[in-house]
Amino acid sequence: MTGEDPGPLIRLFGLTGGRARPQGEAFDLVAIVTTAADAGDPTDLIPEHRAVLALCRRPTPVADVAAHLRLPLNITRVILGDLRGEGLVTIDRPRPAAQTIDERIYREVLHGLRSL
């Protein structure tokens, strides 16, 4: 033993129960996390879970959740996977950019190209 404090590593191990991967379907950094409408504010959750539920009342990318929690991404993914498994959050892939641009913008671009 070196006498160094391994506290943060043990804490992270405890947060995830030693798991390094989330349960269920995989999701990436830009996936959008949203607190489920019926999630309420369960008091039996750990502080990190409650923080996610509060933060994700508005749709929030996974990367932003990790930054807000100040936790490594893999730990955040495990926490999010647990919350998803309990039905407390939804995790959705972001819509492709092509689906977010409305028809009006296409018409303006087409008009601009024709005027060239």
Side-chain angles (χ1 to χ4, degrees):
M1 283 187 44
T2 63
E4 294 179 23
D5 179 22
L9 295 177
I10 292 173
R11 180 177 175 273
L12 294 178
F13 180 84
L15 284 175
T16 64
R19 294 172 290 140
R21 294 175 194 238
Q23 298 174 348
E25 182 182 344
F27 50 91
D28 58 13
L29 289 172
V30 295
I32 304 299
V33 183
T34 308
T35 301
D38 59 348
D41 188 24
T43 56
D44 58 336
L45 297 176
I46 63 173
E48 289 78 8
H49 287 180
R50 288 194 304 266
V52 169
L53 294 179
L55 176 66
C56 296
R57 287 186 181 124
R58 299 180 71 200
T60 307
V62 171
D64 289 355
V65 174
H68 178 77
L69 295 177
R70 295 184 178 193
L71 290 173
L73 185 59
N74 63 330
I75 302 297
T76 301
R77 284 182 171 157
V78 172
I79 289 171
L80 293 174
D82 291 347
L83 290 171
R84 177 178 58 187
E86 294 292 323
L88 298 174
V89 299
T90 59
I91 303 172
D92 302 305
R93 291 189 173 115
R95 293 187 311 179
Q99 292 179 0
T100 60
I101 300 174
D102 66 7
E103 189 176 331
R104 181 185 54 81
I105 293 175
Y106 285 125
R107 287 182 189 183
E108 289 177 14
V109 170
L110 183 59
H111 178 70
L113 290 172
R114 286 183 179 158
S115 67
L116 292 176

